[in-house]
């Protein structure tokens, strides 16, 4: 082969490798940045868990759920995983009873909401809407542009956390609005919304520790 042709081919290959290397390094930098942001947000949440008994219980329940899921994949027996998942998914059925949430506790919560001023309620709604917007498009947990840089297993967990948080915020807004605007409070509806928010909290918390582990492994 003509040496000139060989030189051209080598030059083209070198240029292509250079472009690939540049793009690869850019992707790796973006990926590390995304993991750093995600890890920082997870760390802040875990720091809050240390000082909050309720958050700690939600994290423990979520961790047990995910642990059983991982074990079911390894063993092929998903009975224990489905058992706890069904318990969590069916928590709203207890809205008709006082087993998990008493009528007295609901009445006390409703009285506090009704005692608020219209301006205070509007501020609450504005804050909920702001957080929802941040969850959907901003940097709450992780922004959309940063998520694109993560591995697929991390992306799936991050999206599930964001979806659960969004569902929780919707439940809170519907519950507050329903209590504040109605003279007669539907206790069962309020219980259902509260228990639904607890369910979504557990489903979100199941991904916190696995995501932190992934961040530590890949940072």
């Amino acid at each position: 082969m003509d040496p000139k042709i060989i030189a051209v081919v080598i030059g083209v290959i070198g240029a292509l490798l250079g472009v690939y290397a540049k793009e690869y390094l850019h992707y790796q930098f973006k990926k590390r940045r995304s993991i750093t942001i995600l890890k920082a947000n997870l760390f802040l949440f875990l720091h809050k868990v240390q000082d909050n008994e309720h958050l700690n219980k939600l994290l423990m329940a979520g961790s047990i759920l995910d642990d059983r899921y991982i074990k079911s994949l390894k063993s092929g027996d998903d009975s224990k995983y489905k058992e706890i998942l069904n318990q969590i998914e069916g928590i709203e059925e207890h809205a008709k009873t006082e087993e998990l949430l008493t009528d007295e506790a609901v009445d006390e919560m409703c009285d506090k909401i009704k005692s608020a001023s219209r301006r205070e309620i509007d501020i609450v709604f504005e804050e909920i809407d702001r957080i929802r917007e941040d969850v959907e498009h901003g940097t709450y947990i992780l922004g959309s542009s940063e998520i694109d840089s993560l591995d697929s297993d991390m992306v799936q967990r991050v999206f599930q956390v964001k979806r659960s948080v969004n569902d929780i915020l919707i439940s809170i807004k519907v519950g507050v609005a329903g209590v504040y605007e109605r003279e007669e409070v539907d206790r069962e509806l309020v219980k259902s919304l509260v228990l639904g928010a607890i369910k979504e909290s557990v489903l979100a918390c199941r991904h916190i520790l696995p995501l932190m582990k992934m961040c530590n492994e890949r940072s």
Side-chain angles (χ1 to χ4, degrees):
M1 183 179 291
D2 191 322
K4 292 182 179 180
I5 296 178
I6 294 176
V8 170
V9 171
I10 292 175
V12 170
I13 293 174
L16 290 174
L17 289 175
V19 171
Y20 174 78
K22 182 179 179 181
E23 289 297 320
Y24 176 78
L25 291 173
H26 175 71
Y27 171 78
Q28 289 299 317
F29 172 79
K30 190 175 179 182
K31 181 179 179 180
R32 285 195 298 272
R33 180 177 179 276
S34 298
I35 290 175
T36 299
I37 295 172
L38 176 59
K39 186 176 179 179
N41 287 330
L42 293 172
F43 180 80
L44 288 174
F45 175 78
L46 291 174
H47 182 70
K48 291 180 180 179
V49 168
Q50 293 178 350
D51 302 321
N52 190 302
E53 180 184 354
H54 300 296
L55 281 178
N56 191 33
K57 288 180 178 179
L58 291 172
L59 181 62
M60 287 178 61
S63 298
I64 292 171
L65 175 64
D66 201 70
D67 183 60
R68 289 194 182 183
Y69 173 70
I70 298 300
K71 287 181 178 178
S72 72
L73 294 179
K74 294 178 180 178
S75 66
D77 179 9
D78 62 357
S79 58
K80 291 184 177 180
Y81 166 68
K82 285 187 175 180
E83 178 185 0
I84 188 173
L85 180 62
N86 289 336
Q87 290 175 357
I88 293 170
E89 291 286 357
I91 192 173
E92 288 157 289
E93 296 174 4
H94 293 279
K96 298 179 180 180
T97 72
E98 293 193 61
E99 185 177 353
L100 298 180
L101 191 59
T102 66
D103 291 344
E104 183 181 356
V106 171
D107 290 342
E108 184 179 345
M109 178 179 63
C110 292
D111 288 342
K112 288 181 179 179
I113 293 174
K114 285 183 173 295
S115 67
S117 67
R118 178 75 253 182
R119 179 53 185 157
E120 287 173 327
I121 294 298
D122 288 341
I123 291 173
V124 170
F125 288 164
E126 289 170 7
E127 183 64 11
I128 289 174
D129 290 339
R130 184 193 66 77
I131 296 175
R132 284 190 62 204
E133 177 66 22
D134 203 20
V135 169
E136 288 290 334
H137 307 292
T139 57
Y140 191 93
I141 306 296
L142 202 62
S144 300
S145 60
E146 285 83 18
I147 290 177
D148 294 340
S149 304
L150 299 177
D151 296 331
S152 59
D153 54 347
M154 297 183 76
V155 169
Q156 182 181 12
R157 288 185 180 273
V158 169
F159 274 134
Q160 288 176 342
V161 172
K162 289 168 78 74
R163 184 185 63 188
S164 291
V165 171
N166 190 54
D167 288 344
I168 292 168
L169 293 171
I170 291 174
S171 294
I172 293 173
K173 188 172 183 179
V174 170
V176 171
V179 170
Y180 194 76
E181 298 294 340
R182 297 181 183 180
E183 285 193 24
E184 293 294 328
V185 175
D186 186 340
R187 284 198 188 114
E188 188 174 322
L189 174 61
V190 174
K191 285 184 182 180
S192 180
L193 290 170
V194 172
L195 294 174
I198 292 174
K199 177 189 73 176
E200 290 299 331
S201 297
V202 173
L203 295 178
C205 283
R206 71 175 290 185
H207 303 292
I208 301 301
L209 294 181
L211 279 171
M212 180 60 84
K213 182 180 178 182
M214 291 175 181
C215 288
N216 289 332
E217 291 174 346
R218 303 173 195 187
S219 59

